[in-house]
């Protein structure tokens, strides 16, 4: 057990270290340095060619003339104090830009997690109960087809159907621009209305995993002796399913939920771009277009660390829930 | 006279084929048919669909009338005569963009899948066979690689390194070799314990012979299923990158078409999306569904008990 925990922490730290290293070395691996730009990408952009003297001055000013290990330790020190640098495009600290957009991402990721977990478990139970009838086959085939469509393509389809063709939902944004709300209820409704399609997209793309897992675990669990015992004791069918079967089948679903959050944090970059939803995914896209390197690095760090933390939490929670894991 | 020569030529070809051992060809053909008939209806549809897309990509110059990257008409012409699927905002033919775009998706999918599938598989087999420190080190590297968030890192790395097909392939390989390596390793570890392999070693079989003759053919089918999974993953990743505007600007891919169409300012308020956005969207989903059908069926054929976990 002790050894297990050590290897687990080692894995967490080494993954974190690799991400930090990529984040640190990538910009430094690029040809040239930030001060030797001689070509303008956009019309009207001013080209400033520095003299060698000025260039050296700025290199010294930003600490780029120091040895790499010194730069790296300074970078780590800044990270620990929460300093992620300044965004070139937004002209404010990267940390503030991320704080501005992270809540939107959290909203849709958490919403999708809740919806896909609950509906996946419900559908999986229905399917497992009727597994010898036609309805199981129908749900199953539909689910599997959904699972294979990547989330951003699914999002595009939903956007085309609901927003463009039927005009039921907004095309972009997280709130109606320049809206005057009569109280918080209306504001909440507006936010939910805008979040509906992104949340639906993410939930649909994750639903199948939960559904299949619940269905398959339930089918294995219901063949166990303690289920037969429960039935023999004269318990109602509902009690057997909910108290005995489902409770045991939900353990793997907990793990799945944690990994799901991780997968969604990765996929959210594309889904937010489809719906122009102002979360960190959309911000990453605009940062890439504007070549805002400090912001790109900051967002990558936030996404990576949140995925790592989710995976770590899953392991911890699973150990608490399932006594068989604790030896 | 001419007829005689033709008849003589035919006879010559026939003799040549007979010399080639017609039985063998027959056997290969019938074994292919036998393998094909083991697939379910869905699997057959999948194979047929992928085959059609391959044909489309290979014969793109023959089935299109316009070059894909030249302005050949007015901008945003609806589908009809002249331009089969209409044109985009620059007046480029959409049907030929679709056909040439198939090349991009297939190339990326195939290249990434083959390199990372078989390369990663080879690494896994070697590590599993040799064991010891190398094996332990490799497992650490695999753990870290699999824990990395692949898509965000892909976006960042290709933003920094610049978009080119080669870069995209390299980065994708870097992120997808770990799974085949891990599965090949665990398969090798369990195969190593089999009696026939121990017997072969006792008869003096060299490691290379053992790996090539006994272990590789056993691991191969599993790797093949993984290769299909990796290729569809790579196709999704390429489309996603291109959709974000990180595709190779010198080539036309389906993801790139999605990017151009969705960045067109008022695409959703005009009917243009019907012929500009739908075709690449439909083709991507069709290709991915076909690949999924094939891999699901192959999993089933290989071993009903074997369950390879899917991950994105």
């Amino acid at each position: 057990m002790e050894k297990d925990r050590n290897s687990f922490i080692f894995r967490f730290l080494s993954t974190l270290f690799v991400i930090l290293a990529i984040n640190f070395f990538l910009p430094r691996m690029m040809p040239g340095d930030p001060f030797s730009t001689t070509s303008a990408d956009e019309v009207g952009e001013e080209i400033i060619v520095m003299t060698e003297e000025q260039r050296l001055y700025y290199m010294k000013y930003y600490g780029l003339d120091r040895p790499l290990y010194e730069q790296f330790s300074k970078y780590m020190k800044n990270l620990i104090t929460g300093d992620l640098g300044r965004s070139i495009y937004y002209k404010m600290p990267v940390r503030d830009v991320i704080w501005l957009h992270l809540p939107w991402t959290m909203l849709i990721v958490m919403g999708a997690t809740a919806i896909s977990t609950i509906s996946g478990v419900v559908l999986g139970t229905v399917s497992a109960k009727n597994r010898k009838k036609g309805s199981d086959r129908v749900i199953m085939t539909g689910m599997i087809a959904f699972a294979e469509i990547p989330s951003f393509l699914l999002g595009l389809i939903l956007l085309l159907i609901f927003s463009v063709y039927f005009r039921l939902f907004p095309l972009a944004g997280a709130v109606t621009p320049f809206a005057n709300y009569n109280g918080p209820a209306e504001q909440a409704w507006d936010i939910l209305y805008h979040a509906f399609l992104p949340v639906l997209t993410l939930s649909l793309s994750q639903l199948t995993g939960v559904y299949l897992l619940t269905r398959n675990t339930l089918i294995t669990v219901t063949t166990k002796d303690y289920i037969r015992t429960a039935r023999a004791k004269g318990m109602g069918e509902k009690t057997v399913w909910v108290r005995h079967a489902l409770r045991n089948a939900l353990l793997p679903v907990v793990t799945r939920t944690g990994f799901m959050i991780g997968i969604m944090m990765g996929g959210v970059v594309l889904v937010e771009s489809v719906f122009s939803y102002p979360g960190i995914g959309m911000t990453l896209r605009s940062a890439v277009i504007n070549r805002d390197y400090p912001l790109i690095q900051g967002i990558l760090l936030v996404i990576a660390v949140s995925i790592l933390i989710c995976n770590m939490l899953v392991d911890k929670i699973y150990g608490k829930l399932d006594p068989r894991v604790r030896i | 006279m001419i007829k005689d020569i033709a008849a003589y030529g035919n006879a010559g070809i026939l003799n040549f084929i007979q010399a080639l051992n017609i039985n063998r060809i027959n056997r290969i053909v019938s074994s292919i048919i036998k393998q094909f008939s083991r697939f379910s209806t869905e699997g057959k549809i999948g194979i047929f669909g992928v085959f059609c897309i391959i044909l489309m990509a290979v014969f793109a110059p023959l089935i299109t009338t316009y070059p894909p990257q030249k302005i050949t008409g007015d901008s945003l012409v609806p589908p009809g005569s002249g331009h089969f699927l209409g044109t985009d905002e620059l007046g480029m033919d959409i049907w030929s963009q679709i056909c040439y775009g198939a090349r991009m998706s297939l190339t990326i999918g195939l290249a990434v899948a083959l390199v990372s599938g078989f390369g990663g598989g080879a690494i896994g087999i070697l590590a599993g066979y040799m064991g010891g420190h190398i094996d332990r080190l490799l497992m650490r590297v695999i753990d870290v690689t699999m824990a990395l968030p692949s898509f965000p890192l892909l976006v960042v790395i290709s933003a920094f390194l610049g978009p080119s097909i080669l870069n995209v392939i390299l980065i994708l390989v870097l992120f997808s070799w770990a799974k085949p390596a891990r599965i090949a390793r665990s398969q090798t570890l369990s195969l190593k314990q089999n009696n026939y392999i121990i017997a072969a070693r006792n008869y003096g079989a060299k490691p290379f012979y053992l790996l090539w003759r006994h272990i590789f053919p056993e691991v191969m089918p599993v790797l093949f299923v993984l290769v299909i999974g990796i290729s569809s993953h790579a196709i999704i990743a390429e489309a996603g990158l291109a959709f974000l505007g990180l595709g190779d600007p010198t080539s036309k891919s389906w993801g790139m078409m999605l990017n151009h169409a969705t960045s067109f300012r008022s695409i959703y308020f005009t009917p243009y999306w019907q012929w500009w956005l739908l075709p690449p969207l439909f083709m991507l989903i069709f290709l991915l569904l076909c690949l999924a059908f094939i891999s699901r069926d192959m999993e089933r054929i290989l071993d009903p008990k074997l369950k390879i976990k899917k991950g994105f």
Side-chain angles (χ1 to χ4, degrees), chain A residues 10 148 159 164 285 293, chain B residues 140 160 243 268 273 285 296:
Chain A
F10 176 82
E148 299 303 340
L159 184 79
V164 177
R285 187 193 186 180
Y293 293 121
Chain B
R140 291 277 186 227
F160 277 114
F243 175 71
Y268 297 126
W273 59 270
I285 291 175
R296 242 164 229 289

Side-chain angles (χ1 to χ4, degrees), chain B residues 104-105 107-113 115-116 150-151 153-177 230-231 233-251 253 255-256:
Chain B
M104 183 75 174
S105 286
T107 315
I108 297 243
L110 202 70
V112 173
V115 174
S116 64
S150 63
F151 193 74
L153 268 178
L154 245 149
V155 170
V156 172
I157 296 178
S158 43
F160 277 114
L161 293 184
S164 80
I165 304 174
L166 196 66
N167 278 348
V168 171
I169 292 177
L170 282 179
I171 300 166
L172 282 171
V173 166
L174 217 63
F175 279 106
S176 46
W177 65 274
I230 294 172
S231 70
H233 181 179
I235 290 169
I236 296 172
E238 188 273 334
L241 282 180
F243 175 71
L244 287 182
L246 287 167
D248 192 331
T250 59
S251 64
S253 75
M256 201 77 131

Side-chain angles (χ1 to χ4, degrees), chain A residues 10-11 14 18-19 26 30 144 148 150 153 157 159-160 164 171 270 273 285 288 293 296 300 303-304 307, chain B residues 140 143-144 148-149 151-153 156-157 160 236 240 243-244 246 259 268-269 273 278 281 285 288 292 296:
Chain A
F10 176 82
R11 205 169 69 209
S14 49
V18 169
I19 291 168
L26 260 185
M30 286 197 305
I144 287 173
E148 299 303 340
L153 297 182
I157 297 174
L159 184 79
L160 289 179
V164 177
L171 281 166
L270 286 166
S273 302
R285 187 193 186 180
V288 165
Y293 293 121
I296 296 178
L300 175 72
I303 294 179
I307 292 176
Chain B
R140 291 277 186 227
D143 274 345
V144 172
L148 288 174
F151 193 74
L153 268 178
V156 172
I157 296 178
F160 277 114
I236 296 172
F243 175 71
L244 287 182
L246 287 167
N259 175 36
Y268 297 126
F269 299 105
W273 59 270
L278 284 186
L281 189 63
I285 291 175
L288 292 172
R296 242 164 229 289

Side-chain angles (χ1 to χ4, degrees), chain B residues 17 51 85 239 254 298 309:
Chain B
I17 291 175
F51 190 66
L85 283 177
W254 293 338
M298 282 186 60
K309 278 201 177 144

Side-chain angles (χ1 to χ4, degrees), chain A residues 40 54 94 112 115 120 177 208 211 219 237 264 283 297 316 324:
Chain A
Q54 278 172 316
V94 166
I115 290 174
T208 313
Y211 160 79
I219 288 175
E237 198 60 8
M264 279 197 276
T283 316
Q297 289 174 291
K316 291 277 157 226
R324 282 169 295 184

